[in-house]
Amino acid sequence: MSNSLVFKTRTCEIIIDYSKCIAPNCKFACVKADRLYGRNVLKIFNSKPALAVAPEKASKLCNECLACEIHCKWSGGEAIKINVPL
Ligand code: SF4
Ligand code: SF4
């Protein structure tokens, strides 16, 4: 079983590496940030962040705000990497 969640957005790829996820110590900063600045793409499932919608819907819903990655880092995690094509 894969230990990461990978999904596409319009132009990026978001990878959540569960082996680096420190939940609940981070207070689920990624999910909270997604609710504040993003589009409710993420939810808490089995004490970890997960997609709140089907992957095809997530790719259209995500506004690529990068808040989940930034807030994960600010909360002491290093679990989210957003690959932005340059
Ligand atoms: S980039 Fe923004 S909208 Fe997309 S999953 Fe992360 S917080 Fe949510
Ligand atoms: S903020 Fe980072 S460490 Fe915390 S639940 Fe989200 S991915 Fe895991």
Side-chain angles (χ1 to χ4, degrees), residues 16 20-23 26 28-30 49 72 75 77 79-80:
I16 301 180
K20 295 180 180 168
C21 180
I22 60 168
C26 58
F28 295 97
C30 59
C72 179
S75 68
I80 301 184

Side-chain angles (χ1 to χ4, degrees), residues 9 12 25 29 35 54 58 60-62 64 71-72 76 79 84 86:
T9 64
C12 307
N25 296 339
R35 283 178 189 159
K60 295 186 177 72
L61 192 61
C62 173
E64 302 182 327
H71 283 257
C72 179
V84 182
L86 297 174

Side-chain angles (χ1 to χ4, degrees), residues 14 34 38-39 41 62-68:
I14 300 184
D34 180 46
R39 304 285 300 279
V41 175
C62 173
N63 65 6
E64 302 182 327
C65 65
L66 313 183
C68 50

